[in-house]
Amino acid sequence: MENSKDYKKRIKRHTPKSPIFKDCLLAFVFGGAISAIGEILASLYIYFGAEEQTSYTLVTVTLIFVSALLTGLGVFDNIARYAGAGTLVPVTGFANSVVSSAIDTKAEGLILGVGSKIFTVAGPVILYAILSGSILGVIYYFVTLFS
Amino acid sequence: MDLFKLLMAFLIGGLICVVAQLLIDLTRLTPARILVLYVCFGVFLGGVGLYTPLFDLAGAGASVPLIGFGANVAKGVMESVDENGLLGSLMGPFTASAVGCSSALIFGYLAALIFKSKSKRT
Amino acid sequence: MQKITYLEKPVYFESYSATGGFEEGRGPLGKNFDFIDNSDLFGMKTCEKAEAEMARINLNIALKKKNLSPSDLNVLVAGDLQNQCVASSGGLFTFGIPFLGLYGACSTCTEGLLVLSAMLSTSKTYTRGASVTSSHNSAAERQFRTPLEYGGQRAPSAQWTATASGAFILGKEKSHIKITAFMPGKAIDGYTKDQSNMGAAMALGAFDSINSFFKENNPDEFDLIMTGDLGHVGSNILEDMLREKITRYGTKLASLHNDCGLLLYDFDTQDVHSGASGCGCSASVLASFILPKIERGELRKILFLSTGALMSTSSVSQGDNILGIAPAIQIEYEE
């Protein structure tokens, strides 16, 4: 037989690497395009009279809506398998993780299925956003207090 | 329409995604960990005041990636602390992330009512 | 200590059947399947129920082929990948056959045939039993990985869980295919926690079983050594190790080796990365491809080892390594 160290080396030798260049290029194009679409939408909302801050918030809502729709139609996962981080990192990925969990657990009921599982993938993101935000708030409070 | 800002949105937004892709491919970090990392990093950027210049430069290129979500939380928290004191550190995070979370949850719920999961295809 | 049982009175394959879903149907073995449902749902509302129904349909086909009724069977051993093996019990209880649920992850097919052979060859009263194994891609994705519509990228070493089932009726009535020996495998540390590289996690288990088996058997008598679902990565690791570590027969063993996970899909048109996996993979390949070959006399003697990765989502997130296991059965052609 083989010891752990040698076997790990053997695994490494035989495991194909991800095509990094191709993955990164696709992530760049998709991520960039989604951001650019966001920017165009923002200018559009400003043009129609929204304030700058509000228009960027509306962009977030729009992208979440579109992601939800594409996820429901079964298109999102087929784009994401090529786009990788390009659809994961924009708010589209966050929306997809919430929406896909919700759709997936429908069969287990609307309360214990959808209700509890809707957070399975997105829960950590929300938790750590709140947690780090809170910590920042405390630090900020004391910094402003003493300066 | 500011074409330079549009270009910057594309470049910066794309680059932020490339960094995540490298993390996935090279370190086998799971996507969930990367999202958490990005949100926390966004809070940090917002907290130290680096996010605003990035946003001014790239617009949606900064706000659309999850970093923007984190930075938004940071901004909301600091405003809330200014207004409500220490209690603001508990009020701010939820208020600031409300739009993103609520819309994802509500659209998710509606989608669950309408759509069904389909079999994966190769 | 690990021992090989050589059956004095062999146990025969009286009937067998393979069913599968869309991807299995359009794969190279699709035309040999007894039943394909392109919706993957087998008329049910959820994928979990679909897997249970697939298993039911499959056993029904196997029974029909030999004009048998459920009451002709003394025992049913079955397993799948769902929590508590609920697809097997839920799908097959209506037959009213005494039931034993099995869990050996993707090694369940061989485990079931092994247990059934042992029972039939030692019991005087039992004459016939069935072994059914199934897996469903959607049910496995939901249970072990992410929601179906979640947008993620799969690693190049990842494998594709087959939506497939294999049903086998074994008995004492003579046929052209017989089980003549069996050997349970040992659970072996796969030295990896990487859930997207199951082939690597199971290759050591397969190596251990093959190594033990051929300490007292001559590979020249064999036409094929078939593992369950090592895929490209696991197969390469296994063949490398056989060549390096077994001085006497290593090269011969490696040249005899093939893997069910490499046969179920077409790598040019189906993007399944390292290959097929799941309990249904080795079961359906055995029923649709290997047994017919033995029945026709094209293969005379083979060693069949379904490979299983023993783990749960909690064991992996708690930092445990994935274990590999490979029970073995020897199948022969009978004139």
Side-chain angles (χ1 to χ4, degrees):
Chain A
M1 289 299 280
E2 198 156 52
N3 64 37
S4 163
K5 214 175 115 208
D6 288 345
Y7 192 66
K8 279 180 179 154
K9 268 192 219 153
R10 195 185 287 277
I11 293 180
K12 215 172 167 188
R13 212 162 51 236
H14 284 285
T15 303
K17 304 252 178 318
S18 297
I20 293 181
F21 180 76
K22 185 182 139 219
D23 282 358
C24 285
L25 186 70
L26 284 167
F28 180 73
V29 172
F30 276 93
I34 292 169
S35 303
I37 291 168
E39 187 59 32
I40 295 169
L41 283 173
S43 334
L44 214 63
Y45 292 140
I46 293 171
Y47 176 78
F48 284 116
E51 279 182 39
E52 196 193 16
Q53 195 56 50
T54 320
S55 74
Y56 280 98
T57 309
L58 284 174
V59 167
T60 304
V61 178
T62 316
L63 289 177
I64 290 175
F65 175 77
V66 174
S67 309
L69 190 67
L70 291 178
T71 304
L73 292 171
V75 178
F76 192 97
D77 58 331
N78 288 326
I79 302 174
R81 63 196 276 190
Y82 300 106
T87 45
L88 172 77
V89 169
V91 75
T92 48
F94 172 70
N96 167 254
S97 66
V98 175
V99 178
S100 61
S101 305
I103 297 175
D104 220 47
T105 45
K106 189 182 178 178
E108 281 92 56
L110 289 179
I111 308 291
L112 289 175
V114 179
S116 64
K117 303 283 170 53
I118 197 167
F119 289 109
T120 36
V121 192
V125 176
I126 298 174
L127 170 66
Y128 284 98
I130 303 293
L131 184 68
S132 55
S134 246
I135 294 169
L136 173 70
V138 174
I139 297 171
Y140 178 71
Y141 174 78
F142 285 106
V143 169
T144 43
L145 201 66
F146 294 112
S147 57
Chain B
M1 181 92 231
D2 185 345
L3 277 180
F4 176 73
K5 202 171 175 187
L6 182 64
L7 181 70
M8 289 319 281
F10 183 87
L11 290 178
I12 303 282
L15 278 178
I16 290 172
C17 295
V18 168
V19 173
Q21 188 70 49
L22 285 172
L23 287 173
I24 294 175
D25 283 357
L26 295 176
T27 66
R28 286 268 165 111
L29 267 182
T30 56
R33 282 167 208 269
I34 286 170
L35 291 188
V36 168
L37 202 69
Y38 265 55
V39 157
C40 294
F41 186 61
V43 172
F44 171 78
L45 283 185
V48 296
L50 284 173
Y51 177 73
T52 313
L54 187 71
F55 176 70
D56 290 341
L57 178 72
S63 75
V64 167
L66 223 50
I67 287 179
F69 188 81
N72 215 13
V73 169
K75 182 163 164 265
V77 168
M78 292 190 290
E79 280 170 8
S80 188
V81 168
D82 284 339
E83 217 174 288
N84 308 299
L86 197 51
L87 200 58
S89 66
L90 292 175
M91 292 165 72
F94 265 109
T95 326
S97 57
V99 175
C101 289
S102 303
S103 45
L105 288 177
I106 290 164
F107 293 143
Y109 189 80
L110 292 177
L113 294 181
I114 303 167
F115 299 107
K116 273 184 76 176
S117 287
K118 289 162 208 63
S119 282
K120 279 190 176 297
R121 292 290 179 240
T122 55
Chain C
M1 120 178 229
Q2 190 174 33
K3 280 189 173 168
I4 306 170
T5 298
Y6 300 94
L7 298 179
E8 282 170 29
K9 283 186 184 159
V11 173
Y12 296 91
F13 280 87
E14 296 191 1
S15 180
Y16 50 90
S17 164
T19 54
F22 173 77
E23 295 292 350
E24 294 67 32
R26 76 187 188 98
L29 303 181
K31 56 184 187 307
N32 303 342
F33 274 61
D34 296 271
F35 184 79
I36 291 287
D37 183 278
N38 282 325
S39 73
D40 292 348
L41 281 173
F42 297 84
M44 307 306 274
K45 284 211 167 88
T46 69
C47 52
E48 286 80 8
K49 291 182 199 296
E51 181 174 351
E53 178 65 4
M54 173 171 66
R56 191 193 68 77
I57 291 173
N58 203 18
L59 180 56
N60 217 12
I61 296 174
L63 286 166
K64 288 259 165 65
K65 276 185 173 176
K66 269 280 286 183
N67 279 324
L68 292 169
S69 81
S71 59
D72 295 326
L73 303 182
N74 304 119
V75 63
L76 168 63
V77 294
D80 57 272
L81 289 179
Q82 282 183 35
N83 286 333
Q84 286 78 40
C85 291
V86 79
S88 298
S89 53
L92 303 171
F93 81 98
T94 49
F95 287 102
I97 307 166
F99 172 77
L100 292 171
L102 295 180
Y103 188 82
C106 308
S107 73
T108 308
C109 172
T110 307
E111 185 187 10
L113 292 170
L114 191 159
V115 168
L116 193 54
S117 313
M119 291 172 82
L120 288 170
S121 60
T122 50
S123 167
K124 285 203 175 92
T125 48
Y126 285 14
T127 52
R128 195 180 278 123
S131 169
V132 182
T133 316
S134 64
S135 59
H136 195 293
N137 179 278
S138 303
E141 288 292 322
R142 266 165 56 83
Q143 182 170 315
F144 292 104
R145 296 176 198 108
T146 51
L148 295 174
E149 301 296 348
Y150 179 75
Q153 261 174 333
R154 298 164 64 243
S157 57
Q159 290 172 255
W160 185 271
T161 306
T163 301
S165 164
F168 308 92
I169 295 174
L170 300 187
K172 295 175 179 172
E173 206 172 286
K174 252 190 170 185
S175 76
H176 286 303
I177 318 162
K178 59 183 177 184
I179 295 176
T180 48
F182 60 73
M183 182 193 78
K186 286 182 275 181
I188 303 281
D189 193 332
Y191 298 126
T192 177
K193 300 171 181 46
D194 188 354
Q195 276 178 281
S196 57
N197 201 353
M198 293 292 201
M202 297 185 293
L204 267 185
F207 173 80
D208 184 72
S209 291
I210 295 173
N211 188 25
S212 308
F213 189 87
F214 285 101
K215 273 182 185 152
E216 51 181 276
N217 278 283
N218 181 359
D220 292 331
E221 292 169 10
F222 284 77
D223 294 328
L224 181 68
I225 298 169
M226 197 73 185
T227 50
D229 54 353
L230 295 179
H232 278 307
V233 178
S235 294
N236 289 340
I237 292 177
L238 172 66
E239 287 170 23
D240 246 28
M241 285 194 65
L242 290 172
R243 276 188 289 261
E244 274 176 39
K245 306 266 167 185
I246 305 180
T247 38
R248 193 147 154 243
Y249 287 136
T251 320
K252 174 72 184 170
L253 291 173
S255 70
L256 285 175
H257 172 252
N258 204 340
D259 184 71
C260 297
L262 300 175
L263 300 176
L264 193 55
Y265 303 115
D266 175 9
F267 286 94
D268 293 330
T269 57
Q270 292 174 292
D271 184 22
V272 293
H273 298 241
S274 186
S277 70
C279 309
C281 167
S282 63
S284 65
V285 172
L286 182 66
S288 68
F289 183 65
I290 300 168
L291 293 184
K293 266 184 173 307
I294 299 175
E295 191 160 20
R296 292 192 297 265
E298 291 166 30
L299 293 170
R300 313 290 286 197
K301 190 177 187 182
I302 73 161
L303 187 69
F304 185 76
L305 320 94
S306 302
T307 36
L310 303 176
M311 44 82 63
S312 77
T313 44
S314 346
S315 77
V316 169
S317 47
Q318 288 177 13
D320 292 338
N321 282 346
I322 300 169
L323 309 180
I325 191 160
I329 51 173
Q330 174 179 292
I331 310 176
E332 282 181 75
Y333 173 71
E334 164 93 31
E335 294 293 340

